[in-house]
Amino acid sequence: MSPTTLHVRAETKPLEHRTAITPTIAKKLVDAGYIVNVEKAPLSIFPDSEYESTGASLVPTGSWEDVPSDHLIVGLKELPEEDFALKHTHVQFAHCYKGQAGWDKVLGRFHRGGGTLLDLEFLEDEHGRRVAAFGYHAGFAGAALALEAWAWQLTHPASEPFPSVSSYENEDLLIADVRKAVEQGRAKAGHLPSVLVIGALGRCGRGAVDLCVRAGVEAIIVSRADDKHLYITLQRRSLTSSTQKWDLPETSAKPGPYPEITSSSVFVNCIYLSAAIPPFCSPASLSTPSRELRVVCDVSCDTTNPHNPIPIYDINTTFEKPTVPVKLDEGGPLEVISIDHLPSLLPREASEAFSAALLPSLLGLKERGSVRVWQQAEKLFREKVGTLPK
């Protein structure tokens, strides 16, 4: 039996510096008997030279289109919007299984070419938990930008939008910038921001909470949601102690929209949307002169999902233009951050964590027909293809 070939596709999305297979993981795959071809990737945080000693082969950028159909194409973000049929098996995030705009065009390319999509978002272990996710770093980065945007509003005129951002080499450099911004905002406002995190018990929410703690934010309202209720737990950190001490003064359950969003300085949405739920907020609920809310970071970024629980914006923002203003009848300024690749703010750390978590599944690709996680992924693909318009 000939070795299985993995072709690591170069990312083309602007400012996407992550990779699904880091040099460390490429070496482990080569040692396990895989042939690993890595496209030269000008955007990647990992220079080509880091792959040279792994046993992987460097190949031209974009060469995946012309390789034999039995090569498995591994990438992260969705493919560029083209129309040619896809003949390969692709392992990637495709964002087309939840009714997103253009889902049928994306799936149709695989159907027409005889290819297969093994969507990274839906790789689950035997307990239904995702085997690998960028959630932690998405929440971490989203909360960081939200706090910086809050401070920017306070320290700059409305005519100056929040500026473009670029990736950081490590978390400590990002934290230093966030702490500086928060202190500038506190000096102007006279208080630190309060932050509401919905979905804080998952990977993404934990990242958002950790960022807030490390940035020295005074209060974090931690919560989770299901299809009927929002559960709110107020956690307040002592500012008089050098250690972090947490208490739980109240827990409540109630339907939305939620006034806690309106009364917070920053709202970070970290839920994983799998079904229709009542909206967390609306233009009507936010149109009040007493609103404290100034920044919403929708880390979940279900912008085109018909069940988006934050129906106050309709476009994805970018690292170049991180925020979009929300038009409301009353209240002060409100901006949304809806960047769909937030972990690329910390591309090296995010990639290393994701790739390491994905490795056990990648090692099973050579026998994917009998490995549960890949069987399940292909079964889901077939089911979704079956819903394509005739």
Side-chain angles (χ1 to χ4, degrees), residues 86 96-97 103-118 377-390:
L86 298 172
C96 64
Y97 281 2
W103 71 272
D104 52 337
K105 293 182 179 179
V106 175
L107 275 180
R109 295 179 66 189
F110 290 95
H111 183 55
R112 287 187 286 112
T116 301
L117 169 63
L118 303 176
E378 183 162 355
K379 179 175 181 290
L380 180 60
F381 167 71
R382 302 298 173 198
E383 290 173 355
K384 295 297 182 180
V385 166
T387 66
L388 285 169
K390 302 300 182 182

Side-chain angles (χ1 to χ4, degrees), residues 7-21 39 43 64 73-81 86 90-96 100 106 109-110 117-121 130 133-135 138 298-303 316-319 338-345 347 350-351 354 358:
H7 186 107
V8 184
R9 173 171 57 83
E11 301 299 320
T12 57
K13 189 180 184 74
L15 298 176
E16 180 52 83
H17 304 303
R18 295 172 295 167
T19 182
I21 297 181
E39 290 188 3
L43 293 178
W64 67 267
I73 314 301
V74 182
L76 276 185
K77 298 302 290 183
E78 60 271 22
L79 296 168
E81 292 185 9
L86 298 172
H90 286 254
V91 180
Q92 65 174 72
F93 292 100
H95 305 296
C96 64
Q100 295 97 326
V106 175
R109 295 179 66 189
F110 290 95
L117 169 63
L118 303 176
D119 199 306
L120 290 168
E121 182 178 352
R130 292 174 65 181
F134 282 101
D298 189 4
V299 181
S300 302
C301 215
D302 289 298
T303 310
N316 284 344
T317 61
T318 64
F319 282 168
S338 56
I339 299 171
D340 66 2
H341 59 130
L342 281 166
S344 203
L345 196 66
S351 296
F354 179 85
L358 187 61

Side-chain angles (χ1 to χ4, degrees), residues 23 46 69 83 85 137 146 165 170 178 185 191 238 278 290 301 336 344:
F46 300 94
S69 59
D83 193 48
H137 286 95
V165 296
N170 57 61
V178 175
H191 60 81
S238 170
S290 62
C301 215
V336 171
S344 203

Side-chain angles (χ1 to χ4, degrees), residues 70-389:
D70 63 342
H71 289 200
L72 305 180
I73 314 301
V74 182
L76 276 185
K77 298 302 290 183
E78 60 271 22
L79 296 168
E81 292 185 9
E82 303 281 356
D83 193 48
F84 63 87
L86 298 172
K87 63 182 181 180
H88 299 95
T89 292
H90 286 254
V91 180
Q92 65 174 72
F93 292 100
H95 305 296
C96 64
Y97 281 2
K98 297 190 287 187
Q100 295 97 326
W103 71 272
D104 52 337
K105 293 182 179 179
V106 175
L107 275 180
R109 295 179 66 189
F110 290 95
H111 183 55
R112 287 187 286 112
T116 301
L117 169 63
L118 303 176
D119 199 306
L120 290 168
E121 182 178 352
F122 299 91
L123 299 185
E124 297 180 343
D125 63 19
E126 61 273 19
H127 305 294
R129 182 175 174 79
R130 292 174 65 181
V131 300
F134 282 101
Y136 181 87
H137 286 95
F140 197 95
L145 294 184
L147 289 174
E148 290 187 334
W150 170 82
W152 182 271
Q153 277 190 25
L154 291 167
T155 56
H156 293 78
S159 59
E160 292 185 29
F162 186 60
S164 63
V165 296
S166 56
S167 63
Y168 285 80
E169 187 63 32
N170 57 61
E171 289 180 4
D172 290 341
L173 293 175
L174 173 60
I175 289 294
D177 278 357
V178 175
R179 291 185 71 93
K180 180 180 178 181
V182 167
E183 178 55 30
Q184 291 172 342
R186 185 206 62 78
K188 190 74 173 179
H191 60 81
L192 291 168
S194 59
V195 181
L196 175 66
V197 181
I198 295 182
L201 300 182
R203 292 185 180 104
C204 179
R206 290 199 305 272
V209 170
D210 285 355
L211 180 284
C212 291
V213 172
R214 292 179 64 182
V217 168
E218 178 180 51
I220 304 171
I221 301 175
V222 183
S223 47
R224 62 187 175 89
D226 60 25
D227 60 352
K228 294 182 179 179
H229 301 98
L230 174 71
Y231 304 91
I232 299 171
T233 305
L234 178 63
Q235 299 191 339
R236 192 172 298 275
R237 186 170 69 89
S238 170
L239 298 180
T240 60
S241 170
S242 61
T243 59
Q244 298 174 7
K245 297 179 180 179
W246 302 84
D247 59 80
L248 307 174
E250 67 181 39
T251 300
S252 61
K254 54 188 174 182
Y258 306 115
E260 289 82 3
I261 291 177
T262 305
S263 61
S264 300
S265 309
V266 171
F267 166 37
V268 185
N269 178 41
C270 295
I271 70 160
Y272 181 76
L273 185 64
S274 58
I277 58 175
F280 295 156
C281 59
S282 67
S285 71
L286 298 176
S287 292
T288 171
S290 62
R291 172 172 45 81
E292 294 290 334
L293 185 68
R294 292 294 179 263
V295 180
V296 174
C297 182
D298 189 4
V299 181
S300 302
C301 215
D302 289 298
T303 310
T304 63
N305 191 310
H307 305 306
N308 182 4
I310 309 176
I312 60 173
Y313 74 100
D314 58 7
I315 65 169
N316 284 344
T317 61
T318 64
F319 282 168
E320 183 178 356
K321 295 182 178 180
T323 63
V324 60
V326 179
K327 296 180 180 179
L328 299 172
D329 294 334
E330 292 186 274
L334 177 62
E335 296 176 305
V336 171
I337 297 170
S338 56
I339 299 171
D340 66 2
H341 59 130
L342 281 166
S344 203
L345 196 66
L346 292 166
R348 181 173 288 273
E349 289 158 315
S351 296
E352 290 284 14
F354 179 85
S355 192
L358 187 61
L359 176 61
S361 299
L362 292 174
L363 289 171
L365 275 171
K366 64 177 67 175
E367 298 174 342
R368 65 186 183 278
S370 58
V371 175
R372 189 200 56 76
V373 67
W374 298 115
Q375 287 178 321
Q376 182 176 299
E378 183 162 355
K379 179 175 181 290
L380 180 60
F381 167 71
R382 302 298 173 198
E383 290 173 355
K384 295 297 182 180
V385 166
T387 66
L388 285 169

